[in-house]
Amino acid sequence: MRWFSSSGVLVSPSLQLSVWRSVLPLSGSIWRRLEALALGLHILSLLFGLAGLLWVVPHPEWVASLPPVGIQAFSWSMGNGGVAYMVFGALAAALMGSRLLGVRRLLMFLIPAVGISLASELLGTSTGIPFGDYGYLSGLGYKIAGLVPFTIPLSWFYVGLSSYLLARVALQAGRHWLIHCEAILLGALLLTAWDFVLDPAMTRGLIPFWTWFQPGPFFGMPLQNFGGWMLTGAAFMTVANLLWGKAQPVLNRRQLLGPLVLYVANFAFALLMSLGSGIFAPAGLGLLLGLGPALGLWWSAPPAPSHPEAVEGEAARTWQALEDPGWAGVK
């Protein structure tokens, strides 16, 4: 048990928890409410995007029947909907990660995820390495260096975080020295499986968001693309794992529910987009390699403690983590 005091007086974690609650009695609930709000807005944006792309766009007569204000609002929402759902997704993941990991460990994941994915995307759109020759169209926000929308690294971050936290269930159960590598590869696979389903719909749908200049056998895209996804995802997950060091997070089934919902919501969006565009094979591949394993990993995680003392101890660790992210839930 760790004791500390800024004035030299030893204070127990349980007493510190009581002090925090007396000073900031609503902090925990506000944190969770903001997280729930961001996640809810993210899912709502996904649903709105599905409705617009799969029903409204194929029926232009419905849009034409709207008053001028309605047409203008629809045009604005279709132009900014992709930006909104990725920004809300990144915000939800940041709040969720702060609560589950602590701010310090969250930043140890967020910075490599955004930095490495952005570097890969800039390299890919300018040289064709590591994904192949492609380019982004409009609809996803301001383009960094005129090449990559700023929202793309955000999507790598929030889907990557949910994928890796779910994949780490295997790490929590295993003890052999290769288990860290297995968890990283499994997390990268969950991330890539999402792209199996998303990429064909976003390039061959009624409104494409990027285009491939290099034809390939997988619905017009090269197989190299998926190698690039595995490499990029594994790279930033490896960096995060190394930065965490001995302070590796251990999460139970209840704690992993948020990452699961975030992953399933984005996977379902990609799945419905593909099915709505008449693209079926990637959906089956994604279910086999992504959604199925994600649900299985979540279910295999240890259940949340049910004993009152255990729950109180978990709450104390959560509050401790908000002040000192390296303290709680380490393995």
Side-chain angles (χ1 to χ4, degrees):
M1 179 178 295
R2 177 179 174 182
W3 300 70
F4 63 94
S5 170
S6 59
S7 61
V9 179
L10 296 179
V11 182
S12 71
S14 60
L15 180 57
Q16 187 207 20
L17 175 63
S18 301
V19 172
W20 270 107
R21 284 176 171 170
S22 63
V23 176
L24 298 171
L26 295 178
S27 292
S29 63
I30 289 175
W31 192 277
R32 293 299 298 269
R33 288 173 185 174
L34 288 174
E35 179 186 328
L37 176 62
L39 184 58
L41 289 172
H42 174 62
I43 294 174
L44 186 63
S45 300
L46 291 173
L47 293 174
F48 184 88
L50 281 174
L53 293 171
L54 298 183
W55 189 81
V56 177
V57 171
H59 298 87
E61 69 279 1
W62 183 85
V63 180
S65 67
L66 295 173
V69 174
I71 295 176
Q72 186 176 3
F74 174 78
S75 176
W76 183 89
S77 62
M78 290 302 296
N80 296 277
V83 174
Y85 93 75
M86 284 188 271
V87 169
F88 286 134
L91 180 59
L95 291 168
M96 189 183 301
S98 298
R99 175 175 57 87
L100 296 174
L101 307 173
V103 175
R104 186 173 64 188
R105 280 187 294 185
L106 169 68
L107 292 176
M108 289 176 179
F109 188 95
L110 186 153
I111 294 173
V114 171
I116 292 174
S117 64
L118 176 59
S120 290
E121 293 276 0
L122 288 172
L123 190 64
T125 51
S126 57
T127 69
I129 299 172
F131 306 104
D133 193 6
Y134 69 106
Y136 284 99
L137 304 175
S138 59
L140 296 177
Y142 167 79
K143 292 181 182 179
I144 300 171
L147 295 172
V148 180
F150 80 96
T151 52
I152 295 299
L154 299 182
S155 67
W156 279 92
F157 156 62
Y158 69 77
V159 180
L161 180 66
S162 59
S163 299
Y164 187 50
L165 291 181
L166 289 167
R168 286 186 56 84
V169 171
L171 174 59
Q172 294 171 192
R175 291 293 182 270
H176 56 280
W177 67 276
L178 277 175
I179 194 66
H180 284 268
C181 297
E182 292 176 10
I184 290 167
L185 291 176
L186 182 54
L189 179 61
L190 293 180
L191 177 63
T192 304
W194 171 60
D195 187 61
F196 285 155
V197 186
L198 180 69
D199 215 321
M202 299 297 271
T203 56
R204 299 168 70 93
L206 290 174
I207 300 181
F209 291 91
W210 55 87
T211 186
W212 287 95
F213 307 119
Q214 175 183 341
F218 191 84
F219 293 87
M221 70 188 69
L223 297 179
Q224 174 188 347
N225 174 54
F226 304 114
W229 270 76
M230 284 290 296
L231 178 64
T232 302
F236 65 71
M237 292 175 190
T238 298
V239 172
N241 183 282
L242 293 174
L243 290 175
W244 287 346
K246 294 183 179 180
Q248 298 286 330
V250 178
L251 304 177
N252 59 48
R253 194 181 304 159
R254 182 174 64 191
Q255 292 170 319
L256 285 170
L257 184 59
L260 178 70
V261 170
L262 187 59
Y263 183 84
V264 170
N266 283 271
F267 191 95
F269 173 81
L271 180 68
L272 293 173
M273 283 288 295
S274 285
L275 295 178
S277 302
I279 303 171
F280 301 104
L285 185 61
L287 288 170
L288 179 64
L289 298 177
L291 187 59
L295 292 170
L297 285 162
W298 173 76
W299 185 253
S300 65
S306 56
H307 197 275
E309 284 76 10
V311 174
E312 180 71 13
E314 182 183 346
R317 288 192 297 273
T318 300
W319 281 89
Q320 292 265 9
L322 293 178
E323 185 190 270
D324 182 357
W327 184 86
V330 297
K331 180 181 177 71

